[in-house]
Structures are given as C-alpha cells and as structure tokens.
C-alpha cells in the first residue's frame, strides 16, 4: 500500500516568498513633503500658463444652424439646402483650418447606445452577426445583416457642408468680391489607431462582392461601399464614419468634419482671410424634435491642438494648491522649530 505523502502549503524559506528582498521605504513626513509639493507647484504653474496662453491664441467661429430655412420641418424624404452668410472679423492663420460639426444634448455616452456596435464586423467581417447591435442587427424579414450594424452606425451624422469665400475686407475697410469656393479634404481626420486597425475592409478589391449578402442600415441612403469613390476611404475605412463611431463622453460635443489645407487653396495666403463667407448646408440630420441643437465650427489650431482651456486651468489650479500647501507646511515646520 502506498503511503500518503503529506504536503504543506507553507511557502519556501526564500527572500522573495518571505518578503526579505531589499527595498526602499521612503518615510513620508512634513520635511519631505514640503520640497516635493513646492517643486511640483513650480513645475505645473508655468505649464498651465503656457497651455492657457496657447489656447487663447486659437480662433474659433461657431455657427448654430439648427433652424436654417425651416429645413427641420420639411419632409425627411425631400432634400433641403440652406445657406448662411457669416463674417470672419480677423484672419484665421495657419497651414490648416479645421471644420467641425457639433451636437448639443446628444447622449452618445448612453450605455445601450455606446455598446450597440460590432467590433469584429468593423474589422472586415461584414456578414458577422452580433447581438450587441440589436435592434439594428439585421433585416427581420430577409434575415440579412446590416453592414455596419448597431445604433451608432444607424444614426451617423449625414449633414454636408460647402464653404464659399464671398468677399475680403482689407485693413482700410476696402471690400473686394471673391466668390471662390474653399476646397477641403475629409481624409486624414481619423485617429491612426482606428483607421486600418480597428476598422478594416474585407479582403480583396471588389467591395461590392465583399458586402454581398448585407443590407444598409435603415437610416442610410446608400450602401456602405458607396460612401466615397476613393477605395482607401470607402466602406469601413471611410474616415467620417470612423470619426462618428468614436462615441463622445459628454452630451455636448463636436467632431472633426474636414481640414481646409492651404495646399488645396492657392488663392489663400496661409489662412482664411478676414471677410464674408457663405456656408451651404445639405440639411439631412433632424435634431429639434428631441430638444437637441447642431452647430458648425471653424477653428485654427496650436501646437497643442484645438482650443481647450480646461487642461490649462487644471494644471494651474493643481499647481497653485500644491504651492499653498507647501507654504503652509513650511510655516508649520518653522513654527515647530522655534519651540
């Protein structure tokens, strides 16, 4: 008969198992806290001032077009185009001026909305069925999957814009008619980590054949492979689609629409000149019936990106608090040393 071997759960008598490895154990007290807080405060405050100053140099023009020519009340199956003239009171300098669209009180951060997508389908498997996409997984009558599926894709923003330079205003007040269309590109607006990695087209060059057996989302007017004539910016690689699929964290947000590159507009002198501009809107996206609003934004950029005062304010406030704490602790230490 085999003897039963008793095993022990006691760990080995080693430095690692018995926690006898050499370690640095800093002693946190008021004498070490004061210089750390002081150095961090002195470091953060200049960074905050730099961020605020840089953000203040960014120019923005925001235009609410929710009620443009009463397009909101027109039947959704009838196309509605409207125009809005607006002035730029100063030159928007830079090799690239950014165009945004924005929405207010639009809750992309709702849990059901944010999870209503199929990441595997978007990586190049259009026939893949995913229950997360319900109730927009596919057509119930024909059992055909939607490509792309889900609430996010079905509600994709589909207003389009064109911008015209109507006139230029010089410093002496002279106004010169221009009437030139501003060229822009909708490529290069998606994150590199999304385009071609999280979003990929099916293998092969024939997108029509690759998406055979799928249906377009109910609210779309065209198939996913008809979004752009450029194959590298079509179907799941369509960059405006990728931008929309990255859901916003807050109910009021804006997303990148296009870039006005000066290389595409040789008549512009390194930026949008001061003067009058005309925005033509192909109005398709309803918002007023659920209490939302939408707007168009023109913006320059800085070395830190678009205008964002919040991060600079956070650096400034945290740095000031650290300096105040360092000063308070230093006074306490000095008072204790007297006694």
């Amino acid at each position: 008969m085999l003897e039963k071997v008793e095993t022990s759960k006691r760990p080995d008598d080693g430095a690692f198992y018995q926690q006898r490895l050499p370690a640095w154990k800093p002693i946190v007290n008021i004498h070490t806290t004061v210089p750390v807080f002081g150095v961090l405060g002195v470091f953060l405050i200049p960074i905050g001032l730099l961020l605020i100053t840089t953000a203040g140099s960014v120019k923005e023009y925001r235009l609410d077009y929710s009620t443009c020519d009463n397009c909101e009340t027109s039947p959704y199956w009838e196309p509605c185009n409207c125009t809005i003239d607006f002035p730029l009171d100063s030159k928007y300098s830079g090799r690239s001026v950014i165009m945004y669209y924005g929405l207010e009180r639009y809750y992309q951060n709702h849990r059901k909305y944010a999870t209503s997508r199929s990441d595997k389908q978007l990586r190049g498997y259009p026939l893949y069925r995913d229950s997360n996409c319900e109730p927009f997984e596919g057509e119930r009558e024909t059992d055909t999957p939607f490509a792309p599926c889900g609430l996010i894709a079905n509600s994709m923003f589909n207003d389009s814009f064109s911008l015209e330079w109507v006139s230029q205003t010089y410093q002496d007040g002279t106004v010169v008619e221009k009437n030139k269309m501003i060229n822009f590109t909708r490529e290069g607006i998606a994150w590199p980590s999304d385009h071609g990695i999280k979003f990929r087209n099916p293998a092969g060059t024939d997108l029509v054949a690759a998406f055979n057996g799928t249906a377009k989302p109910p609210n779309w007017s065209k198939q996913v492979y008809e979004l752009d004539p450029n194959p590298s910016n079509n179907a799941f690689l369509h960059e405006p689609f990728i931008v929309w699929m990255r859901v916003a964290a807050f109910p009021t947000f804006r997303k990148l629409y296009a870039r006005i590159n000066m290389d595409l507009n040789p008549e512009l002198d390194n930026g949008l000149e001061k003067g009058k501009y005309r925005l033509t809107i192909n109005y398709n996206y309803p918002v007023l019936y659920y209490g939302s609003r939408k707007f168009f934004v023109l913006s320059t950029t800085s070395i830190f990106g678009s205008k964002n005062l919040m991060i600079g304010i956070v650096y400034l406030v945290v740095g000031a608090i650290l300096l105040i704490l360092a000063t308070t602790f230093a006074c306490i230490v000095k008072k204790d040393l007297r006694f």
Side-chain angles (χ1 to χ4, degrees), residues 122-148:
L122 296 173
R123 288 196 295 268
Y125 302 94
L127 296 176
Y128 181 74
R129 306 293 292 262
D130 196 327
S131 59
N132 287 334
C133 291
E134 286 291 347
F136 293 102
E137 181 182 353
E139 292 182 342
R140 299 187 184 278
E141 296 81 6
T142 61
D143 197 33
T144 303
F146 290 135

Side-chain angles (χ1 to χ4, degrees), residues 308-322:
N308 187 354
L309 291 172
M310 181 56 65
I311 188 171
I313 293 173
V314 169
Y315 271 80
L316 197 61
V317 170
V318 173
I321 292 174
L322 290 175

